[in-house]
Amino acid sequence: MPGNASALQSDLYIGLISGTSMDGLDMALVSVGPARFEVLGTRVVALDTDLRVSMLELCQSGQDELHRLAQADTRFAEFCGNAVLDAISGWGVDTRAVNAIGSHGQTVRHAPSAQPAYSVQLGNPSVLAERTGITTVADFRARDIAAGGEGAPLVPAFHASVFRDSATDRAVVNIGGMANVTLLPADFNAPVTGFDTGPGNVLMDLWCQAERGSPYDEDGAFARSGNLSHDLLPTLATEPFFRRQPPKSTGRELFNREWLRARAPAISELPPEDVANTLTELTATTIIEAILSSDLEDPEILVCGGGHRNAFLMERLAQLASPSTVASTTAKGIDADFVEACAFAWLAWRALSHEPGNLPAVTGATGPRILGGIYLA
Ligand SMILES: Nc1ncnc2c1ncn2[C@@H]1O[C@H](COP(=O)(O)OP(=O)(O)O)[C@@H](O)[C@H]1O
Ligand SMILES: [Mg+2]
C-alpha cells in the first residue's frame, strides 16, 4: 500500500453482511469521509436455499467439514460478488468509482473463549475482489482476536461515530440473530462500551419455524397472542452468559435449539404461543436490563436490525425501558435494516485510512487495531 492518499481515491464504499439469522445479504452503498457519512443505496438479497443450508450446517461440526467449508467459502463469495455487481448497476454507479467493499462475510463459528480463540467468516475475499474488480476488505474480526479481544461486537465504533449525541445519553441496540448494545454517554470524555446481550431473534425464529413453519414471527403476532410463562422466563434467564461481565459476545454455538431443549425440557407442554411470548420477553428483558444497569441516565434507545420490525418486541422494549424512550435508528437518519452493512462499509474506510476499527473497551483487545485484510482490486 503506497500510502493513504492513493488508497482513498473515492469516498464510495459498499458494506456487506449476512448475519447469524442467515435471512439475506444486506448491502449498503455509502459515501464516507472524516466528518461525513451518507447512505446512497441499500439492498437485501435473499440467500439461495442450498447455500443457506450448507452454511447453516457448517455452524455445527460434522463430517468432511473442512471440504464443505472451503466450498461454501467460495460459493458465498461468488454469491456476494454477483449481488454487488447487480446492486451497482441498479444504483447506477460505475464499479471503478467504488473505493472498496467491506465484507463481513457469514459467521459459521464464533469461539472467542476457545483456547486459542477464533471466529470464522465465509466469503473468500480473493474471489470477491476478483469477481467485482473492487478492492475488498474482509476478515475484520481476526486482528481484534489476535490482540486478545472477543472480535465482537465491531459495530460500536460506527455507532459512536454516527449516533453519539452530546445532548443525551444514548444506547444503540442491534437486534439480529443475536443482540448487542452500544452505550453512548453524552459526555464525550466517558468511554463508549458495548457487548452482546444474548439472543436477539434467534430463539423466536427457531420456535416459530418449529411451531408455525414460518421463518419468523411476523410483527410478533404469534408472541402477542400468548401469555408470559412465569416459570419458563426465570428458567431461561439462569443462563450464565446473561450475568457475565463484558467484554462478551455470543452466537449460535450457545443460543440454539439444543440450548432451549436443555434449559427447558418441558417446553412442549406449554401452549406454543406462550413460549413465543416468553422467548420475546427474554430478548426484551436481557437487552433492557443490560442498558438500565449501565451508567447511562434515561438513555434514548435506538433499535436497528430485523428486530425493529417486530412490533410486539418493540412494545415490550418500550414498556420495560420507560421512562427511557425506544425508537428505530431510521428516525435518526440510518435505515434500521442496514446499520450493520453501513458499519462494515465504514470499517473498510477505516482500514484503508489506516485507522483502528475496534474499541478495546468493547472487545477487550489490548489496544486499538486496524481491522481487516486488504485484497487489492
Ligand atoms: N416483519 C417482521 N416481524 C418480526 N420479525 C422480523 C420481521 N422482519 C424481520 N424480522 C426478524 O429479523 C431477523 C433478521 O434480522 P437481521 O438484522 O437481518 O439479523 P441478522 O443480522 O442475524 O441477519 C429475522 O430473522 C426475523 O427474526
Ligand atoms: Mg440478516
Side-chain angles (χ1 to χ4, degrees):
M1 178 83 29
N4 287 11
S6 61
L8 301 177
Q9 281 155 357
S10 99
D11 57 4
L12 294 186
Y13 290 80
I14 292 176
L16 304 180
I17 181 165
S18 173
T20 45
S21 305
M22 289 198 201
D23 55 313
L25 178 70
D26 299 332
M27 315 171 68
L29 173 71
V30 309
S31 166
V32 54
R36 186 170 40 81
F37 188 87
E38 194 184 348
V39 185
L40 303 177
T42 56
R43 189 178 266 215
V44 58
V45 186
L47 299 181
D48 295 343
T49 305
D50 58 339
L51 178 59
R52 180 175 193 270
V53 168
S54 63
M55 294 199 297
L56 265 175
E57 284 172 355
L58 282 164
C59 293
Q60 274 135 35
S61 55
Q63 223 185 353
D64 208 16
E65 66 184 359
L66 206 50
H67 173 75
R68 289 189 288 115
L69 180 122
Q71 296 271 298
D73 191 34
T74 292
R75 285 179 56 213
F76 183 56
E78 303 269 12
F79 178 88
C80 292
N82 289 332
V84 166
L85 293 176
D86 264 10
I88 281 182
S89 78
W91 290 326
V93 175
D94 188 327
T95 303
R96 286 164 301 185
V98 179
N99 205 43
I101 295 169
S103 173
H104 171 267
Q106 176 66 62
T107 297
V108 289
R109 302 288 169 89
H110 182 65
S113 303
Q115 295 294 338
Y118 64 93
S119 187
V120 179
Q121 283 75 40
L122 302 184
N124 186 325
S126 294
V127 173
L128 192 46
E130 191 65 31
R131 297 297 178 269
T132 58
I134 302 172
T135 292
T136 297
V137 187
D139 202 16
F140 287 95
R141 303 196 187 275
R143 185 61 184 269
D144 183 83
I145 291 176
E150 294 272 313
L154 294 183
V155 285
F158 172 68
H159 291 164
S161 130
V162 293
F163 294 123
R164 200 170 191 184
D165 184 343
S166 60
T168 177
D169 285 355
R170 280 182 169 170
V172 182
V173 190
N174 175 31
I175 312 179
M178 305 301 144
N180 61 272
V181 297
T182 303
L183 307 173
L184 300 172
D187 174 2
F188 274 51
N189 293 315
V192 171
T193 51
F195 49 90
D196 285 1
T197 56
N201 299 297
V202 66
L203 300 174
M204 298 164 356
D205 284 1
L206 285 171
W207 188 250
C208 208
Q209 286 154 17
E211 293 298 320
R212 287 289 171 101
S214 52
Y216 55 81
D217 183 8
E218 179 98 38
D219 300 334
F222 184 29
R224 191 191 290 279
S225 71
N227 295 308
L228 183 67
S229 164
H230 294 281
D231 292 328
L232 181 59
L233 184 63
T235 305
L236 299 177
T238 58
E239 163 59 49
F241 181 84
F242 299 130
R243 287 191 305 279
R244 243 179 71 189
Q245 289 305 304
K248 59 178 181 174
S249 59
T250 191
R252 280 182 183 272
E253 297 73 21
L254 177 61
F255 295 106
N256 54 31
R257 211 178 295 277
E258 289 66 44
W259 181 87
L260 204 51
R261 245 183 241 136
R263 292 266 149 200
I267 203 166
S268 55
E269 289 160 27
L270 290 168
E273 62 275 19
D274 289 6
V275 176
N277 183 294
T278 307
L279 293 177
T280 305
E281 192 73 7
L282 180 71
T283 291
T285 51
T286 46
I287 289 169
I288 296 302
E289 277 169 20
I291 296 170
L292 297 188
S293 65
S294 75
D295 293 335
L296 300 186
E297 275 184 49
D298 291 341
E300 193 178 358
I301 299 173
L302 302 176
V303 179
C304 58
H308 87 96
R309 292 181 173 271
N310 183 326
F312 181 61
L313 174 62
M314 288 295 279
E315 277 172 40
R316 292 304 307 141
L317 289 169
Q319 202 148 37
L320 292 164
S322 175
S324 287
T325 57
V326 176
S328 103
T329 58
T330 309
K332 301 293 172 194
I334 301 196
D335 185 330
D337 287 323
F338 295 97
V339 172
E340 263 195 310
C342 288
F344 283 92
W346 184 86
L347 284 167
W349 168 71
R350 295 288 289 180
L352 292 182
S353 307
H354 299 184
E355 295 284 352
N358 65 337
L359 294 178
V362 170
T363 64
T366 50
R369 293 289 185 273
I370 299 169
L371 303 181
I374 298 169
Y375 297 71
L376 295 174

